[in-house]
Amino acid sequence: MAKYNITEKKEKEALYRTLVSPKVMDDLKEKILNIILIQKKYKDKDYSAAKLAEELGTNSRYISAVVNVRFHMNYTSFVNKYRIEEAMALLVDRRYKDLNMEDISDMVGFSNRQSFYASFYRLNGCTPREYKMRHMTTTNTKKV
């Protein structure tokens, strides 16, 4: 028996993913990127997969299928990736050096500091504060 009763997760293919044609997936992928990335909807705390689906005239299962197949992650991870990338830029930008983590978290679209920290750590292996400190020490030593 496995330690702590942890069993391996079995990969299962959701049926609806195979029902979406590659052409429709490619089409939706471009539209999703346009809305989430170009229009920066990832900054909107309340912008859900359902709202995205409504805006694109499709359903959230199709959105989920496209994000899973084309981006290899779920919708929340997809949106959080862009939020974290922007947060990383803000953390090292001298113009925002006086902002606290809650301000940065809010600016990039997280509804609370805990989810910001968890997502940041999951993506970077360090906390936002550690990331900021690490970057500040490397920039300070370069300018000496």
Side-chain angles (χ1 to χ4, degrees):
M1 188 161 153
K3 191 173 185 179
Y4 302 115
N5 202 21
I6 297 173
T7 56
E8 266 189 51
K9 186 178 176 184
K10 293 179 182 148
E11 284 295 317
K12 56 183 178 185
E13 189 67 30
L15 179 61
Y16 65 89
R17 289 185 197 160
T18 58
L19 297 176
V20 184
S21 76
K23 167 82 176 100
V24 170
M25 276 213 186
D26 289 340
D27 207 32
L28 279 174
K29 176 186 173 187
E30 292 307 313
K31 289 176 181 176
I32 290 169
L33 281 172
N34 178 47
I35 290 171
I36 299 296
L37 189 59
I38 308 300
Q39 295 178 28
K40 296 189 183 239
K41 291 284 187 172
Y42 63 85
K43 288 183 171 189
D44 182 350
K45 295 171 180 50
D46 302 317
Y47 199 75
S48 64
K51 285 184 181 177
L52 176 61
E54 187 180 316
E55 198 169 317
L56 293 176
T58 187
N59 64 53
S60 56
R61 284 198 176 253
Y62 272 39
I63 298 299
S64 177
V66 172
V67 171
N68 273 272
V69 172
R70 295 295 191 242
F71 300 105
H72 310 289
M73 58 184 86
N74 65 30
Y75 177 80
T76 304
S77 297
F78 175 71
V79 170
N80 285 347
K81 176 179 174 270
Y82 294 110
R83 290 174 174 165
I84 296 302
E85 285 175 2
E86 179 151 349
M88 289 166 61
L90 295 175
L91 287 168
V92 299
D93 190 326
R94 291 184 181 279
R95 294 174 292 180
Y96 302 104
K97 70 179 173 31
D98 294 330
L99 293 179
N100 63 33
M101 292 303 153
E102 286 80 11
D103 294 334
I104 300 275
S105 167
D106 191 54
M107 286 173 69
V108 299
F110 283 96
S111 51
N112 62 60
R113 191 175 65 92
Q114 289 79 10
S115 58
F116 171 56
Y117 267 74
S119 294
F120 197 98
Y121 192 87
R122 201 174 299 116
L123 223 63
N124 296 305
C126 65
T127 67
R129 191 161 269 107
E130 289 169 343
Y131 179 83
K132 183 177 184 174
M133 297 311 240
R134 197 177 310 147
H135 186 79
M136 286 174 71
T137 54
T138 56
T139 11
N140 290 342
T141 54
K142 285 179 187 174
K143 292 190 176 192
V144 176

